[in-house]
Amino acid sequence: MIRVESHALGPRCFVAGLRVHEWHLGLATLVAAVAAVAMDAPALLASALALTGAWLVAKDWHDLVPSRRDTAAWRLGIHRAPAALRRAYRGESLPAAAGWLTGAVGAFNVISALTPGAHDRLAVLTRITGVHAPLLAHALALPAGLALLVLAPYLARRRRRALQLAIVLLVGVGALNLLKGLDVEEAVASWALAGVLTWGRDAFCVAHERLAPRAALRSLLAPATTALAAGLAALVADLWTAPTVTVGVGFLVALAVARLAFRPLAAPSRPPPEAQRCAARRLVQANGSDTLSFFKLRGDLQHFISGDGRAFLSYRVENGVLLCSGDPVGPPEAIPSLLSEVCSFAEERGLRLGVVGGGELLRELAADAGLRALYIGDEAIVDTGAFSLEGRAIRKVRQSVTRLVKAGYTTELSTLSEVGPAELAVLEEISERWLGGEPERGFSMAMDGLRGRYLGDSTVLIARDEDGRIRGFLHFVPSYGSPRASLSAMRRDCAAPNGVTEFMLVRAIELFGARGVEELSLNFAAFARLVHAPATRAERLLGRLVALADPFFQIESLYSFNAKLGPRWQPRYLLYEGRLGLPRAALAALWAEGQLPKPRLPGALRRDLKFKPVADLAPRAA
C-alpha cells in the first residue's frame, strides 16, 4: 500500500498509488495542531505540531506550485533546485542546523554544570560510583559545554576539524551527563547529535591549513599570558569572583585557539607563477573573443586553470568571496568542467563564489553552479561602421570635435610597444595627475596600468595640441578572434580644453574602423536599463532607488556620456551564491572595483573615506 521509489531528486512516496508530498504531511500536521487546540491538549503538544507542520510546508514549497513541481532536490532543510555543477553532499543542509543544535547542547550543559542535579538520581549514582566521580564529571561538564559553544559557529561554516572535535566532545559530554547525575535525557541528546554529525560528515567540506607547532605556540602566547594574568588578578582582588573571571577569560582563550585551529585552507595570495601567466595568455589569444577577456591578464589577479588546461578564469578573494572577473575563457564545451572545479576549490576554502561583469551565456550556465544573477548595468559597444557625426542627437559631440580640430589638435594610433620610453613616461604622468594621487581603479573592465605584462600589442590613441604636446590618451586592449577592441582607460591633461575626451573617442572610432575593427567596447553604464528603460514596476522602483546613489557614483552622467555615441547596450551581471549572498558579493565587488574604500588603519581610513566619483575619464568601473 505504501511504496517508496528512488529518484535523482530524492525519494518519492506513494500511498495507495497516489503521490504524497511533504507539504501534504505538513497540512495534515497543521490540522492535527488545530484539533489539539480544540481538544484542550497540552499547549506544548499543539505548538510542536504547528511548528512541525509549518516547517514541512515551507521546506517543500516548490511542490505547492505546479510550474515548480519536481524541480527541487530533497534536503533536510528547504528543498532547492539541484546544482548540476556542484558536488552533492549527504546531509548538505546539515551544517547550519548542526551549528544551532551544538550551541544549544553546549548551553544546556553549561547551565546543567552550574546547577545541582536531581537529589534522588544523585543518591542512586553515589551508591554506584562513590562521591568523587559525580564531582569530577560535574567539573568537566562546564569546559566541555563551553567548548561546544565555541565549536557551534565553525560547524555552521562546514569546518572539518570542528566536526571531528564536536563528535568526540558530544560522545564525552553524553558520558559526563550520566556520571554527574544520571541525566539520561541530556546524554541521549548529545549522542543522537553525534550520530547525526557522523552520518552527514561529508557536508563538512572545508579543509584547513596545516598547523605549524612553533607558529601556533607564538600565536597562543599572548592570549594565554593574558588569561593567566587576569586569573591571578581576580584571585588577589576577590576570591569570590575569581572562578567567574577565570571561566570568562578561559572562554576567550578558547575562541583564540579555535580561530587558529579551524582556519580554512587559504587561496593563493602571491602573484601567479610565470608558467601560469603564460598559459592564461595563450588561452586568451586562442579563445578570448569576449570584450572583457583581455582584462583577466591584469597583474593583480589570480588565475584558476582547469585540470585539462583548456579554460581558465581570473579572480581575487574579497570579503570571503572568490570573486571572478567576467566570463571564463575557453571553448564553450570546457567551461562547465572549469566551473565545477572552481566550485570545489572555493568550497574547500570556505569561500563563496561570485562573478563581476558576467554575460548572458554565463548567467544561464552559472545557475547550474548554484549562482544567482543581478543585473548591474550595460557595456556600451559602438559599431564603427555605422557610427556617424551627422544628426541632432550627436550635435554636441560634433561641435567638440570641430572646435578641437580648428585648435590644431591631432591624434595618432599605435600599439603600446611602439611608444617610446619618454612618451610612455609622459602618458603615465598625465594619468597620475588625473587620478590625483588615488590608485588605479578597476577589476573586471580595466587594466592596472600601461606597463603590465602582455600589453605590448594593446593600442593607445594619443591626442596632441597645436604645439605637439601630449594632452590626453585612450588605451585599448584587443579581443582576440573577433574584430573588436575594448577601452581600458581614458586620461587627459587637467589643463586641456573641454571636449578632448569626445574628440579622442570619435577619432578612435574612425581610426579603428579604418583598420577593420568593427566594434569598440567603451565605458560601463551602471544600472542603465533600470534608470532609462525599466520593463516592470519592480524595475521602475529599483531605478528610483539607484538614482539616489547618483551623487556618489555619477550614474546618470556616465550613461549620458556613453549615449552620445549611439552604442548598443550589452547587459552585464553580478553573480552571487545563495539567497542571502548578495550583500557580501556586492561589498566584495565594490572593494575590488575600487568604488568603496576598504577598512584600514585610522590614518589611512580618514584619507579614503570619500567616495570616488566615476568621472568620464576614470577607468571603466562596474
Side-chain angles (χ1 to χ4, degrees):
M1 189 174 183
I2 299 178
R3 177 167 52 91
V4 178
E5 290 184 356
S6 177
H7 189 271
L9 294 178
R12 293 185 172 180
C13 181
F14 295 84
V15 177
L18 297 177
R19 173 84 179 278
V20 177
H21 295 272
E22 280 181 287
W23 66 269
H24 291 145
L25 181 59
L27 289 179
T29 308
L30 289 173
V31 171
V34 174
V37 172
M39 297 172 63
D40 292 329
L44 183 61
L45 175 62
S47 300
L49 288 173
L51 290 174
T52 302
W55 171 244
L56 289 171
V57 173
K59 75 194 297 279
D60 197 31
W61 73 270
H62 286 84
D63 286 337
L64 286 168
V65 184
S67 62
R68 289 181 173 268
R69 192 160 293 160
D70 294 332
T71 61
W74 189 91
R75 303 165 72 244
L76 285 174
I78 295 177
H79 300 170
R80 292 191 311 196
L85 297 180
R86 285 185 177 269
R87 177 184 170 187
Y89 299 102
R90 184 171 61 183
E92 182 180 353
S93 58
L94 177 60
W100 286 104
L101 291 174
T102 302
V105 170
F108 200 79
N109 275 275
V110 169
I111 295 172
S112 179
L114 295 175
T115 55
H119 181 73
D120 51 346
R121 293 188 183 185
L122 194 58
V124 173
L125 183 63
T126 53
R127 286 199 298 268
I128 300 173
T129 64
V131 178
H132 299 292
L135 291 176
L136 179 61
H138 222 90
L140 293 176
L142 177 59
L146 291 174
L148 289 175
L149 286 173
V150 172
L151 288 175
Y154 293 101
L155 288 174
R157 297 174 189 171
R158 301 176 180 266
R159 304 293 166 84
R160 194 174 297 164
R161 282 181 187 155
L163 168 74
Q164 295 165 351
L165 183 55
I167 292 174
V168 173
L169 277 174
L170 286 168
V171 172
V173 163
L176 290 175
N177 284 325
L178 291 179
L179 288 175
K180 71 181 177 65
L182 288 180
D183 297 328
V184 178
E185 301 86 353
E186 298 174 31
V188 170
S190 299
W191 290 337
L193 182 55
V196 171
L197 293 180
T198 302
W199 170 81
R201 60 187 178 277
D202 288 346
F204 297 84
C205 54
V206 177
H208 299 274
E209 294 284 355
R210 184 177 64 86
L211 290 176
R214 291 184 179 179
L217 288 175
R218 286 197 299 269
S219 300
L220 295 176
L221 182 61
T225 304
T226 303
L228 180 61
L232 291 175
L235 184 62
V236 172
D238 190 341
L239 291 175
W240 294 105
T241 61
T244 304
V245 173
T246 303
V247 169
V249 175
F251 182 70
L252 295 178
V253 173
L255 290 176
V257 173
R259 183 177 181 182
L260 177 66
F262 304 136
R263 184 172 55 192
L265 193 64
S269 57
R270 296 181 179 179
E274 184 62 25
Q276 197 177 65
R277 289 187 181 276
C278 291
R281 186 190 186 193
R282 287 194 297 269
L283 286 170
V284 168
Q285 290 175 329
N287 303 282
S289 59
D290 184 72
T291 52
L292 306 187
S293 293
F294 194 92
F295 297 122
K296 293 169 182 57
L297 301 180
R298 286 175 60 110
D300 57 353
L301 297 181
Q302 298 291 333
H303 303 316
F304 185 94
I305 301 177
S306 62
D308 58 11
R310 300 179 63 203
F312 89 104
L313 54 80
S314 294
Y315 70 91
R316 187 188 301 165
V317 176
E318 296 281 3
N319 196 32
V321 179
L322 192 150
L323 198 63
C324 303
S325 170
D327 294 1
V329 175
E333 64 274 12
I335 302 302
S337 61
L338 169 69
L339 290 179
S340 181
E341 290 178 34
V342 80
C343 284
S344 298
F345 179 85
E347 286 175 348
E348 287 184 352
R349 288 156 178 80
L351 300 172
R352 296 294 184 96
L353 197 60
V355 180
V356 178
E360 290 282 2
L361 294 178
L362 179 62
R363 182 184 66 141
E364 298 174 4
L365 182 59
D368 288 335
L371 300 182
R372 298 169 179 269
L374 173 71
Y375 163 79
I376 56 173
D378 293 88
E379 181 184 4
I381 300 178
V382 174
D383 184 336
T384 60
F387 177 79
S388 172
L389 283 175
E390 301 297 326
R392 182 175 179 80
I394 202 171
R395 176 172 52 89
K396 291 185 179 180
V397 175
R398 182 172 63 249
Q399 291 172 349
S400 296
V401 172
T402 301
R403 185 174 66 254
L404 269 296
V405 170
K406 289 181 178 179
Y409 271 66
T410 59
T411 58
E412 59 191 61
L413 189 67
S414 58
T415 62
L416 200 56
S417 60
E418 296 171 344
V419 177
E423 288 188 338
L424 183 59
V426 173
L427 298 183
E428 291 179 324
E429 183 181 349
I430 290 175
S431 181
E432 185 176 349
R433 286 202 303 268
W434 175 258
L435 291 173
E438 297 289 344
E440 288 274 7
R441 289 188 298 163
F443 168 69
S444 59
M445 301 181 183
M447 294 304 293
D448 49 347
L450 297 177
R451 296 181 186 268
R453 294 174 180 267
Y454 316 133
L455 286 178
D457 53 354
S458 64
T459 308
V460 62
L461 180 136
I462 298 175
R464 299 178 185 271
D465 62 14
E466 67 277 14
D467 297 323
R469 292 175 297 182
I470 297 177
R471 289 299 192 175
F473 70 91
L474 306 179
H475 180 222
F476 293 87
V477 297
S479 294
Y480 295 108
S482 65
R484 296 187 288 184
S486 298
L487 179 65
S488 174
M490 295 188 293
R491 299 286 189 271
R492 69 174 176 88
D493 194 314
C494 297
N498 292 332
V500 169
T501 304
E502 291 91 336
F503 172 71
M504 291 191 295
L505 284 172
V506 168
R507 287 292 181 258
I509 294 170
E510 295 171 346
L511 292 172
F512 272 109
R515 294 188 176 191
V517 175
E518 298 176 1
E519 290 186 329
L520 282 186
S521 169
L522 302 180
N523 282 304
F524 177 78
F527 304 108
R529 187 182 73 210
L530 299 182
V531 176
H532 294 277
T536 64
R537 183 177 300 176
E539 288 191 355
R540 285 194 293 273
L541 176 60
L542 289 174
R544 291 171 185 168
L545 294 176
V546 166
L548 298 177
D550 186 66
F552 302 107
F553 298 102
Q554 296 189 3
I555 296 171
E556 175 62 30
S557 60
L558 189 56
Y559 168 82
S560 301
F561 180 82
N562 290 326
K564 294 177 186 177
L565 303 174
R568 68 175 176 87
W569 301 99
Q570 180 167 310
R572 293 286 175 177
Y573 299 89
L574 172 67
L575 306 179
Y576 60 95
E577 183 180 342
R579 294 179 183 274
L580 303 178
L582 178 57
R584 173 183 286 188
L587 182 58
L590 290 171
W591 283 353
E593 293 286 359
Q595 297 300 321
L596 282 180
K598 293 182 66 173
R600 294 189 178 95
L601 294 175
L605 184 59
R606 283 194 298 270
R607 291 193 301 271
D608 289 345
L609 266 182
K610 293 183 290 186
F611 287 97
K612 305 180 180 94
V614 182
D616 57 348
L617 300 184
R620 32 194 302 164

